[in-house]
Amino acid sequence: MIDSHKQVDMIEVLSQQPLEVRQKVEEVRVDMWGGFPKFVAKVFPNAQIVFDRFHVMKPVNEELNKVRQQVNMTLKGSKFILLKNAVDLTSEERIKLDGILSHSPRLRLTYELKEEFRTIFERRQTVEQGKEQLLEW
């Protein structure tokens, strides 16, 4: 881990590894900071760049929370339940979720879209399959 977003610092640290080692790197997982693709290509010439799901989901969850606020869903714990991955909900949380979603068709649709989007990134698939599913989404 490098505690810097300066390309110069990252390139310097990572370039300390021999080129033969860096050429063997197949995948680099990063957040969505715009500078990563350039420096990854320079340091790891054969690596695919993968944006981690947490950072991909962050703006989706922020929009879901905005809709929750816009439809005046103020039930205690509603934000937590809506943002939690559906597969991780307990039976009790699922019951609460149903009540929360019955409050607003718009909130229900937004939640369902969030879960569909998350599911696309959870599946093991080719890049092309992922692109196709995102376009369908």
Side-chain angles (χ1 to χ4, degrees):
M1 216 185 231
I2 301 167
D3 190 23
S4 174
H5 269 149
K6 293 182 181 173
Q7 286 188 34
V8 175
D9 295 342
M10 292 186 283
I11 290 169
E12 180 182 331
V13 171
L14 293 169
S15 293
Q16 291 173 9
Q17 292 293 317
L19 180 59
E20 307 81 58
V21 172
R22 291 184 283 125
Q23 286 176 327
K24 292 178 184 176
V25 173
E26 296 175 4
E27 182 178 287
V28 177
R29 189 171 307 260
V30 298
D31 67 28
M32 295 177 70
W33 175 65
F36 280 129
K38 264 187 210 169
F39 105 80
V40 168
K42 184 178 260 186
V43 177
F44 302 108
N46 300 319
Q48 287 275 103
I49 297 171
V50 177
F51 293 110
D52 69 78
R53 186 181 53 80
F54 171 82
H55 287 93
V56 171
M57 287 302 301
K58 187 177 178 186
V60 174
N61 284 329
E62 288 170 353
E63 290 303 313
L64 173 59
N65 193 46
K66 283 181 191 174
V67 171
R68 179 189 67 84
Q69 292 168 336
Q70 290 168 356
V71 300
N72 296 316
M73 170 41 68
T74 57
L75 184 69
K76 185 176 179 181
S78 62
K79 177 181 176 180
F80 171 78
I81 289 175
L82 287 167
L83 298 182
K84 189 172 180 179
N85 296 336
V87 296
D88 297 329
L89 292 172
T90 66
S91 299
E92 187 178 303
E93 289 171 332
R94 287 180 200 277
I95 292 167
K96 286 182 181 177
L97 175 65
D98 284 339
I100 292 165
L101 296 179
S102 68
H103 178 78
S104 162
R106 181 173 169 222
L107 184 60
R108 178 178 295 279
L109 176 61
T110 307
Y111 176 81
E112 290 169 354
L113 288 169
K114 184 264 301 191
E115 282 299 310
E116 289 173 12
F117 188 80
R118 184 190 59 76
T119 301
I120 292 169
F121 284 89
E122 289 288 314
R123 291 187 185 122
R124 290 188 176 265
Q125 58 190 337
T126 66
V127 172
E128 288 307 314
Q129 289 170 328
K131 285 180 183 178
E132 184 177 313
Q133 288 179 3
L134 283 172
L135 288 172
E136 287 175 16
W137 177 83

